[in-house]
């Protein structure tokens, strides 16, 4: 366990950024944290360097990503269709199956050294869900967890249960990668080309669809602010803008 627990999290809003460069950036931040942890192994405890934590928010242009445990047959669109809808397809090293990212969706990537917080991946996932549950509650939406499935759902246990936020994470030496994707103003037609998360009988939704109106650019920024606030509360962290 890290005896120099650092609860400060550097926050960055990357705006609109393509998936690959965001992934490369996450991996760079993760490597820096892991390199510090490896260095600490050779130092006496009192000389241990503190490891940083990061939290990125971003919107991606249309992209489908397939996790390492995923099945390619859940990607229903071929190369020609992907070109037509201006989307790309990327295989990634997170858990989970196929998911979609696109404009109007807020994607969050916490790159945390969990030894600064708690060493429990299950708790980490539940905390991420809690951040989103609290955020969408401010818009009158009751987010829930669905037993055996990650992410945040509405009307769990009912025939019209639907997922509003997908999650997929990876951890190495207790450092996290990937995160969540909250559908806000998302164009839901893009989900028609995949079996989301490999779950055939469940629907997906967005804040826009639930409120039956477009959210303004100002409201998108408000949601990002709310996510930051709830993230700081749930993880008992201090967010500082980079």
């Amino acid at each position: 366990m890290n005896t120099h627990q650092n609860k400060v999290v550097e926050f960055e809003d990357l705006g609109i950024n393509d998936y690959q460069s965001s992934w490369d950036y996450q991996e760079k931040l993760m490597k820096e944290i892991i390199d510090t942890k490896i260095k600490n192994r050779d130092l006496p405890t009192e000389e241990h360097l503190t490891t940083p934590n990061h939290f990125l928010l971003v919107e991606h242009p249309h992209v489908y990503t397939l996790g390492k445990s995923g099945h390619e047959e859940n990607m229903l669109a071929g190369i020609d269709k992907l070109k037509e809808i201006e989307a790309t397809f990327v295989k990634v090293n997170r858990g989970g199956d196929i998911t979609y990212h696109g404009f109007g969706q807020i994607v969050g990537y916490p790159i945390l050294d969990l030894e600064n917080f708690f060493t429990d991946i299950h708790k980490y996932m539940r905390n991420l869900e809690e951040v989103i549950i609290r955020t969408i509650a401010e818009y009158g939406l009751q987010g829930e967890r669905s037993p055996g499935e990650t992410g945040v759902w509405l009307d769990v246990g009912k025939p019209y249960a639907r997922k509003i936020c997908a999650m997929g994470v990876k951890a190495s030496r207790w450092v996290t990668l990937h995160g969540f994707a909250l559908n806000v103003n998302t164009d839901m037609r893009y989900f028609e080309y995949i079996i989301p998360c490999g779950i055939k009988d469940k629907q997906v939704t967005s804040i826009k669809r639930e409120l039956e109106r477009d959210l303004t650019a100002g409201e998108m920024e408000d949601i990002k602010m709310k996510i930051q606030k709830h993230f700081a509360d749930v993880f008992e962290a201090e967010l500082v803008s980079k």
Side-chain angles (χ1 to χ4, degrees):
M1 179 58 77
N2 183 356
T3 52
H4 297 259
Q5 284 192 319
N6 172 29
K7 297 289 187 80
V8 175
V9 178
E10 282 195 6
F11 171 76
E12 276 182 273
D13 184 345
L14 302 181
I16 293 173
N17 199 24
D18 76 273
Y19 186 83
Q20 189 64 51
S21 62
S22 300
W23 184 7
D24 292 345
Y25 185 45
Q26 284 185 77
E27 297 232 292
K28 173 180 168 283
L29 296 174
M30 181 190 217
K31 184 180 183 302
E32 287 170 3
I33 297 171
I34 289 174
D35 286 351
T36 302
K37 294 181 84 158
I38 290 169
K39 219 178 272 181
N40 280 344
R41 281 194 199 151
D42 301 323
L43 294 171
T45 306
E46 64 276 7
E47 289 177 30
H48 277 193
L49 305 160
T50 53
T51 50
N53 306 291
H54 304 273
F55 182 31
L56 314 175
L57 288 181
V58 64
E59 265 183 84
H60 294 309
H62 306 299
V63 60
Y64 296 99
T65 71
L66 182 71
K68 62 182 186 297
S69 55
H71 302 280
E72 281 202 44
E73 58 268 27
N74 291 326
M75 177 76 241
L76 306 177
I79 292 166
D80 292 343
K81 175 54 82 173
L82 286 173
K83 274 187 187 156
E84 184 192 318
I85 61 176
E86 299 182 341
T88 53
F89 176 66
V90 184
K91 290 183 179 178
V92 295
N93 62 351
R94 60 165 168 76
D97 208 292
I98 197 159
T99 194
Y100 160 77
H101 299 306
F103 300 109
Q105 182 191 69
I106 297 174
V107 180
Y109 296 129
I111 302 103
L112 309 180
D113 178 3
L114 287 183
E115 290 193 290
N116 283 324
F117 299 90
F118 46 77
T119 47
D120 183 336
I121 292 292
H122 184 78
K123 181 178 177 180
Y124 173 66
M125 294 297 291
R126 302 297 79 80
N127 274 14
L128 279 189
E129 289 162 354
E130 185 64 25
V131 171
I132 301 303
I133 287 168
R134 292 186 188 188
T135 299
I136 67 173
E138 299 203 41
Y139 296 86
L141 301 176
Q142 188 181 345
E144 301 174 276
R145 295 175 180 87
S146 180
E149 297 168 322
T150 58
V152 177
W153 301 73
L154 305 178
D155 291 310
V156 170
K158 295 178 181 165
Y160 45 90
R162 53 217 182 276
K163 182 184 269 193
I164 197 165
C165 182
M167 292 186 183
V169 302
K170 175 182 190 282
S172 178
R173 298 178 196 265
W174 294 114
V175 183
T176 63
L177 202 63
H178 301 292
F180 63 81
L182 174 63
N183 296 322
V184 183
N185 267 343
T186 317
D187 182 344
M188 303 307 285
R189 290 174 300 180
Y190 278 81
F191 285 97
E192 292 167 14
Y193 302 110
I194 59 171
I195 298 170
C197 307
I199 302 165
K200 289 188 173 70
D201 59 340
K202 296 280 175 71
Q203 299 300 309
V204 283
T205 190
S206 63
I207 294 178
K208 169 184 174 174
R209 183 174 277 184
E210 296 300 320
L211 300 185
E212 298 182 340
R213 66 176 180 82
D214 278 310
L215 283 90
T216 65
E219 285 176 308
M220 282 287 282
E221 290 307 310
D222 280 347
I223 292 173
K224 289 180 184 178
M225 296 296 288
K226 288 175 168 63
I227 289 170
Q228 290 172 66
K229 177 194 178 294
H230 295 303
F231 185 90
D233 289 347
V234 171
F235 282 91
E236 298 175 357
E238 180 193 348
L239 258 61
V240 295
S241 292
K242 190 167 178 181

